[in-house]
Each structure stands twice: as structure tokens, then as C-alpha cells.
Amino acid sequence: AGAEGVYEYVLVPAAQGTVALSRGLASGIVAGAEGVYNYVLQPGAQMAAAGLTMLGNGLTTAAGATYEYVLVPAAWATAAGLRVLGNGLVAGAELVFEYVLVPAVKA
């Protein structure tokens, strides 16, 4: 009767209490993890995604502005400069032809 009493009134209730405590602890851990996910990780990820989207949009805008207001004008200026240089070379060649080569051939 003594062993049965220990089993029935000590061991079984202690085991049930341990199981209940374990379940409560597990529920608390799950609830805590859900809270961290819902109120910290998910909003943080959404804010990070929004920030990266804004950064990407900013870089796209900067690249477009750089292209439109720096690279294209620089290319036009370079082309204009090369045209002027080319015209100068042509004019110089015509002068050399007209005043140096033609008189040398006639002489």
C-alpha cells in the first residue's frame, strides 16, 4: 500500500505537473516566437524591403539623370569637338594642297 500511495499520490501528480509545466513552457516559447516574428522580424523585413526599393529607385533615378544630363551632353560636346577638329584638318589639308603641293607640281 505504501508504494502504491507513493505512486498514486506523489509520482503520478508530479509527472502530470511536469507534463503540464512542459506544455505551458512550450506554449510560452511558441507565443514568444510568434510575437517576435509578427512584431519584430516581419515589420523589420518589410521596412528593409521598402528601404531597398527606395534605394533602387534612387539609383535608377540617379543613373537616368547621369545619362541624360552628363553623358549625353558630354557625347554631344565630344562629337562637336571632333567635328571642329575634323573641319580644321580638312581646311589645313586643303591649304597645304592649294599653296604647297599644287605650286610644287607646277614648278
Side-chain angles (χ1 to χ4, degrees), residues 45-63:
Q46 289 171 343
M47 287 180 10
L52 290 173
T53 300
M54 289 173 55
L55 178 62
N57 290 341
L59 290 174
T60 300
T61 301

Side-chain angles (χ1 to χ4, degrees), residues 25-104:
L25 184 60
S27 295
I29 290 171
V30 168
E34 288 176 347
V36 168
Y37 173 77
N38 289 331
Y39 299 106
V40 177
L41 297 177
Q42 190 177 29
Q46 289 171 343
M47 287 180 10
L52 290 173
T53 300
M54 289 173 55
L55 178 62
N57 290 341
L59 290 174
T60 300
T61 301
T66 299
Y67 173 78
E68 186 175 349
Y69 296 108
V70 176
L71 298 177
V72 170
W76 281 110
T78 302
L82 290 174
R83 275 194 295 277
V84 168
L85 178 63
N87 291 340
L89 291 173
V90 168
E94 288 174 348
L95 290 174
V96 167
F97 178 78
E98 186 177 342
Y99 294 106
V100 175
L101 297 176
V102 170

